[in-house]
Amino acid sequence: MNQGRFISRNARYFPDRRAIIFEDEVTTFRELDLRSNRLANALLGLGLHKGDRVAFQMSNRPAIVELEVALYKAGLVRVPLNARLSPAEVVDVIDNSAPRVFIVGDSHADTVLSLAGRLAGVEHFIGAGRKVPGWQDYETLLAASADTQVDVEMQADDLAVLHYTSGSTGKLKAAMQT
């Protein structure tokens, strides 16, 4: 079962109901469905395939929800980086998870820019919130992508998320979620 189907179902039955409320901004289920479709199509358009990893680091904002839904729809593995990680921890997580795409919020852009040379496996950097020279822009990617449904079939044991936790040793380790 693809978890992205739940948002698509809600968009079909409750299109104008609120899906996300963030500060003064309201996103309906229809808007969330269409934006997550656009993002899923954009990521697949970059050459990603089911099982590829997409890392992101940003402060709380609605893009996190649409990103999660888009990754489920496209069958991509979500690698959320805690907003408070040190630069060394960011490098460790990126090295360990091997994402092809790294989506970065504006409050983390300067740190990630300074680390970019140490993140060799990342093929695409996407700036979410602020335009960063040499990076793709999140909103531009969405605007250029189709809002048609993407629905990759997922199996119960397919990897969906890599959560990084320090556990008892202090060194971040991946906890896999299907």
Side-chain angles (χ1 to χ4, degrees):
M1 175 67 164
N2 189 313
Q3 297 296 314
R5 290 180 185 160
F6 293 112
I7 297 301
S8 298
R9 182 190 68 80
N10 284 356
R12 187 172 39 258
Y13 292 113
F14 315 109
D16 297 321
R17 285 197 187 164
R18 297 177 292 191
I20 304 170
I21 302 170
F22 178 74
E23 297 174 348
D24 295 331
E25 182 182 342
V26 174
T27 304
T28 65
F29 279 106
R30 177 189 301 118
E31 292 165 335
L32 176 58
D33 189 45
L34 293 175
R35 285 182 61 83
S36 62
N37 286 345
R38 286 183 181 279
L39 181 56
N41 280 308
L43 293 170
L44 293 173
L46 293 175
L48 273 65
H49 303 283
K50 177 181 173 180
D52 283 339
R53 291 140 189 221
V54 176
F56 63 93
Q57 186 178 36
M58 58 183 72
S59 301
N60 286 338
R61 53 184 286 168
I64 292 174
V65 177
E66 65 192 30
L67 175 57
E68 180 170 357
V69 174
L71 295 176
Y72 288 144
K73 287 180 178 184
L76 301 169
V77 178
R78 183 169 63 99
V79 183
L81 276 72
N82 187 307
R84 297 184 190 126
L85 291 182
S86 71
E89 290 170 324
V90 169
V91 172
D92 285 346
V93 169
I94 296 299
D95 283 348
N96 181 265
S97 62
R100 293 184 60 199
V101 172
F102 193 176
I103 301 173
V104 183
D106 52 356
S107 59
H108 298 89
D110 290 334
T111 299
V112 174
L113 266 171
S114 72
L115 300 173
R118 295 171 56 195
L119 307 175
V122 177
E123 298 170 27
H124 304 277
F125 288 91
I126 300 172
R130 156 179 145 194
K131 293 189 189 299
V132 177
W135 289 11
Q136 293 169 299
D137 176 64
Y138 184 87
E139 290 299 330
T140 302
L141 272 174
L142 264 64
S145 298
D147 62 11
T148 54
Q149 186 70 37
V150 172
D151 195 12
V152 174
E153 191 57 40
M154 301 295 291
Q155 303 304 314
D157 60 348
D158 285 339
L159 181 61
V161 185
L162 288 175
H163 287 287
Y164 280 81
T165 176
S166 62
S168 60
T169 64
K171 178 92 170 140
L172 294 170
K173 296 173 287 296
M176 300 186 300
Q177 179 182 2
T178 59

